[in-house]
Amino acid sequence: MKSKRYFNITGFCRPEKHYMLDPLRNQSVIFDFIEKEEYFAIHAPRQTGKTTLLHELAHRLNKEGNYISVVFSVESAGYRSITEETANFKIISSLYESCELFISKELWPKK
């Protein structure tokens, strides 16, 4: 049985599961930055689609084939109570876990 799509009010949206607008609509400026190899920042209030935008951007860039793109979080490494070594391990672990979601195994970074 195919589940019905619904309006998501928490977490990032997935088009196959949620009603949503294309987060990359009107985002030609982002593609211009990428083409020019320039940095950019995504800054907006909570629950406005930042994570959804980054996921869609990564998937689109990977599909086009000119870039290898992965979205991953370093949030678990940001606690003062952990050592630098533990923080580095958490960052690298997060990267590898996210590789499974975004790119095929032959494109993964070497350990």
Side-chain angles (χ1 to χ4, degrees):
M1 178 172 127
K2 185 177 178 181
S3 63
K4 293 182 179 179
R5 292 190 307 164
Y6 61 93
F7 289 101
N8 182 22
I9 58 170
T10 61
F12 75 93
C13 294
R14 298 191 321 238
E16 71 277 1
K17 194 172 184 179
H18 305 116
Y19 292 113
M20 59 182 283
L21 296 172
D22 178 6
L24 294 173
R25 72 192 182 290
N26 304 322
Q27 297 296 338
S28 60
V29 68
I30 290 175
F31 292 102
D32 288 341
F33 282 134
I34 292 168
E35 187 176 311
K36 294 174 184 172
E37 299 179 0
E38 294 180 358
Y39 292 99
F40 61 92
I42 307 293
H43 179 76
R46 295 181 71 243
Q47 298 299 110
T48 55
K50 297 179 298 292
T51 302
T52 301
L53 170 72
L54 290 173
H55 280 251
E56 288 297 312
L57 178 62
H59 286 298
R60 185 169 300 177
L61 290 172
N62 289 336
K63 187 176 180 181
E64 290 172 357
N66 295 322
Y67 301 94
I68 298 172
S69 182
V70 176
V71 176
F72 70 102
S73 175
V74 296
E75 186 174 358
S76 65
Y79 299 101
R80 290 182 176 184
S81 60
I82 63 175
T83 65
E84 186 176 329
E85 182 179 335
T86 300
N88 287 336
F89 177 79
K90 288 180 175 286
I91 291 169
I92 292 168
S93 296
S94 178
L95 173 61
Y96 275 91
E97 288 171 16
S98 293
C99 283
E100 292 180 16
L101 300 172
F102 288 94
I103 58 177
S104 58
K105 195 155 188 144
E106 63 269 4
L107 297 175
W108 285 22
K110 293 184 169 107
K111 290 197 175 195

